[in-house]
């Protein structure tokens, strides 16, 4: 190729976000203006606008938050709170789908025996009490929590060990296909 752009490994045709020739050979932005640069002195001058004005808050939004790693619960729960804050809890239906070791966060410690909990303790590093409290609050607010049956089987977790508000789906793949065909936005964590 004639431009100086370093393409990612593999065939550039497999990277649809990259347009060959769009970078390099002295191409400049269409408006020929340099981007504005913010410094410590100018950041305070930028006033945040009311972000709710950008969204139709009378619309019912729905999203499935796929948590595939126990370490990602913090991010997913923070995103859910932000979504509710911006769009309004009454305007959003959230479904959390736990797969992989993220299903372990949905274990109710009061229902699982000590030997079982000790056997998976190392993988519960991200199962902190704050997450459990946030999950309970979100479930009480109408968010759904689902666990992948295949992941539960992989970790030898049976349904009675989970919180009461967790529903089990046979496989995450089918649940994701169904929800996306029902119009749910897909968010991966």
């Amino acid at each position: 190729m004639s431009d100086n752009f370093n393409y990612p490994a593999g065939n550039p045709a497999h990277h649809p976000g990259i347009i060959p020739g769009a970078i390099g050979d002295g191409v400049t932005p269409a408006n020929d203006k340099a981007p504005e640069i913010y410094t410590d002195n100018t950041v305070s001058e930028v006033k945040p606008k009311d972000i709710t004005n950008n969204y139709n808050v009378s619309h019912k939004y729905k999203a499935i938050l796929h948590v595939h790693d126990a370490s990602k619960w913090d991010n997913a729960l923070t995103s859910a709170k932000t979504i509710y804050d911006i769009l309004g809890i009454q305007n959003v239906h959230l479904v959390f789908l736990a797969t992989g070791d993220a299903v372990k966060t949905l274990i109710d410690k009061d229902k699982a025996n000590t030997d079982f909990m000790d056997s998976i303790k190392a993988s519960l590093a991200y199962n902190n009490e704050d997450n459990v409290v946030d999950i309970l609050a979100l479930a009480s607010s109408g968010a759904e929590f689902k666990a992948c049956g295949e992941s539960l089987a992989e970790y030898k977790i049976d349904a009675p060990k989970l919180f009461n508000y967790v529903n089990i789906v046979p496989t995450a793949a089918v649940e994701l296909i169904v929800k996306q065909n029902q119009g749910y936005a897909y968010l991966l964590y």
Side-chain angles (χ1 to χ4, degrees):
M1 298 196 171
S2 62
D3 59 77
N4 297 323
F5 185 72
N6 291 323
Y7 290 95
N11 183 344
H14 295 164
H15 303 282
I18 298 172
I19 302 168
I23 299 176
D25 298 327
V27 175
T28 58
N31 63 9
D32 207 27
K33 290 175 119 180
E36 186 161 62
I37 298 173
Y38 295 102
T39 65
D40 290 339
N41 296 331
T42 60
V43 168
S44 61
E45 296 171 12
V46 179
K47 305 287 186 217
K49 64 182 190 174
D50 180 6
I51 54 178
T52 58
N53 287 340
N54 295 329
Y55 304 102
N56 177 0
V57 292
S58 64
H59 181 73
K60 184 73 171 178
Y61 296 93
K62 50 192 178 178
I64 186 159
L65 293 85
H66 177 192
V67 185
H68 75 285
D69 184 317
S71 68
K72 304 295 183 186
W73 274 109
D74 286 339
N75 296 1
L77 296 169
T78 299
S79 290
K81 291 181 210 171
T82 302
I83 290 166
Y84 280 156
D85 286 346
I86 292 173
L87 297 176
I89 196 167
Q90 70 280 3
N91 300 321
V92 182
H93 181 245
L94 297 179
V95 177
F96 289 83
L97 176 61
T99 62
D101 73 342
V103 297
K104 296 176 183 178
T105 304
L106 302 176
I107 295 171
D108 185 342
K109 293 176 187 174
D110 295 334
K111 292 181 179 180
N113 65 42
T114 306
D115 291 338
F116 176 79
M117 293 306 288
D118 287 344
S119 73
I120 63 167
K121 184 175 272 185
S123 61
L124 290 176
Y126 299 101
N127 186 0
N128 65 51
E129 291 303 315
D130 290 339
N131 283 353
V132 173
V133 168
D134 289 345
I135 288 170
L136 178 59
L138 287 165
S140 299
S141 300
E144 289 183 58
F145 286 83
K146 298 183 177 195
C148 173
E150 290 178 342
S151 296
L152 293 172
E154 178 182 343
Y155 292 104
K156 297 176 179 53
I157 302 168
D158 54 343
K161 290 184 177 91
L162 300 176
F163 289 108
N164 292 337
Y165 50 81
V166 177
N167 294 312
I168 300 172
V169 297
T171 178
V174 171
E175 186 68 11
L176 290 171
I177 290 169
V178 169
K179 289 298 183 193
Q180 289 182 54
N181 276 286
Q182 292 173 347
Y184 281 73
Y186 176 68
L187 304 172
L188 175 63
Y189 297 92

